Amino acid sequence: MEVSERFWNATLEELKSGCYEEGEQVICLLCGKKLEKGIIYPDDGILYEAKRFMRVHIEKAHHSVFEYLIQLDKKLTGLTDHQNNLLKLFHQGKSDGEVQKEMGIGSASTIRNHRFALKEKERQSKVFLAMMELLKEKDSHVPAFVELHKSAKMVDERYNITHDENEAILKKYFPDGTDGPIKAFSKKEKEKLVVLREITKRFKSEQIYTEKEINHILQAVYPDYVTLRRYLIEYGFLERKSDGSEYWIKE
């Protein structure tokens, strides 16, 4: 199961901790890093067992689960920019008065109203989640959709892709198998998304690539590697430094 798929199927407790256990491994829900149970991991002169060291990893690599989640696209979190900013300040432990001054809005009572609205959103989310869980028991016609990648930047109808559609598109554009080249690069957004997602599998997570290395890998996929590289960044699969000196998979 891919990192994004496991992320969206995680329990609330797993999401809060940022990791889950599978067999003899502890796996980071945010990037897929795996630690073996029973192995001691050293860090700054301190020895950690796997589950505790995963907390160290999350703190160093992602700062915190909250900070990772809050930076997701608003189409994924359901938060407005205003609500996002409020939650960041609340998480920093700021008082209502401090939040009001920093955001320059209303008064401390205005911030309390925003807190109430967020609490209402929490209640609505719990009820909706319960209804969706109950729906799964009755709705036998729901198609199996391909999960969104967490770094998606443009969440819209192009992500309305079932597993059957995904497989059909891959067969169409990778006639020699998904390890081979594509015969064309579609202008249709949904097909483009499926192809780009598959190409991303050729890169290793947590590895830093130079532009030359990126180009070399993409040239084996399609002659116009520059276009592929641009769209991989545009769709949120690849991230890079502003000067183009380093590229990496965006988890």
Side-chain angles (χ1 to χ4, degrees):
M1 187 180 290
E2 294 181 2
V3 176
S4 287
E5 187 175 357
R6 187 60 179 80
F7 178 88
W8 294 120
N9 286 283
T11 65
L12 179 58
E13 287 306 310
E14 288 173 341
L15 276 176
K16 286 169 61 179
S17 68
C19 65
Y20 65 99
E21 297 182 39
E22 188 174 88
E24 295 302 309
Q25 295 182 320
V26 180
I27 306 173
C28 179
L29 267 174
L30 313 183
C31 68
K33 182 179 179 64
K34 298 178 180 180
L35 300 177
E36 295 290 332
K37 295 179 183 178
I39 294 180
I40 301 301
Y41 295 86
D43 185 78
D44 291 337
I46 301 175
L47 302 178
Y48 298 93
E49 51 84 26
K51 195 166 184 180
R52 180 63 184 86
F53 187 65
M54 181 57 73
R55 289 163 58 186
V56 175
H57 159 73
I58 289 173
E59 181 178 335
K60 289 192 172 185
H62 311 292
H63 302 295
S64 72
V65 176
F66 180 90
E67 288 187 48
Y68 181 89
L69 296 176
I70 201 73
Q71 58 81 37
L72 293 176
D73 188 273
K74 57 186 176 183
K75 286 287 187 71
L76 301 180
T77 64
L79 297 170
T80 64
D81 291 337
H82 185 67
Q83 290 171 329
N84 189 290
N85 290 331
L86 283 168
L87 284 175
K88 286 179 181 177
L89 294 174
F90 293 153
H91 189 257
Q92 292 169 15
K94 295 186 181 294
S95 67
D96 291 356
E98 291 171 328
V99 173
Q100 182 270 324
K101 289 179 181 178
E102 185 153 342
M103 296 191 70
I105 54 174
S107 62
S109 62
T110 303
I111 304 303
R112 285 196 296 275
N113 290 335
H114 284 303
R115 284 186 184 273
F116 181 82
L118 287 168
K119 190 66 179 178
E120 183 179 30
K121 189 177 182 69
E122 178 189 16
R123 289 192 290 267
Q124 292 169 342
S125 298
K126 287 180 179 178
V127 172
F128 180 70
L129 182 59
M131 289 192 296
M132 290 301 293
E133 287 295 315
L134 292 168
L135 179 61
K136 290 178 184 178
E137 301 173 10
K138 297 290 185 180
D139 188 2
S140 59
H141 303 290
V142 61
F145 292 103
V146 175
E147 294 291 356
L148 297 170
H149 59 287
K150 303 190 302 296
S151 54
K153 294 182 177 180
M154 303 167 287
V155 182
D156 52 28
E157 65 278 356
R158 79 188 74 185
Y159 286 87
N160 180 10
I161 306 170
T162 67
H163 283 286
D164 288 342
E165 286 179 305
N166 191 77
E167 289 305 308
I169 292 170
L170 290 178
K171 287 180 181 179
K172 176 181 177 181
Y173 285 94
F174 291 91
D176 299 323
T178 53
D179 290 334
I182 56 175
K183 66 176 185 178
F185 189 58
S186 178
K187 293 182 179 180
K188 295 180 179 179
E189 296 299 327
K190 183 179 288 191
E191 294 181 340
K192 191 182 297 179
L193 173 63
V194 171
V195 170
L196 291 171
R197 191 202 313 269
E198 189 62 33
I199 292 172
T200 303
K201 296 177 182 178
R202 304 193 184 202
F203 301 97
K204 297 179 181 179
S205 61
E206 299 185 11
Q207 180 169 329
I208 302 298
Y209 295 88
T210 64
E211 186 170 289
K212 184 177 180 180
E213 290 171 330
I214 290 287
N215 293 344
H216 178 71
I217 293 171
L218 295 180
Q219 275 181 308
V221 183
Y222 190 60
D224 188 1
Y225 59 87
V226 175
T227 294
L228 292 185
R229 190 182 69 215
R230 185 177 76 250
Y231 277 111
L232 284 168
I233 294 169
E234 183 178 321
Y235 275 72
F237 289 108
L238 275 184
E239 187 66 274
R240 67 175 177 179
K241 282 190 173 182
S242 56
D243 62 0
S245 61
E246 293 184 353
Y247 290 75
W248 61 93
I249 290 294
K250 191 172 182 182
E251 297 289 359

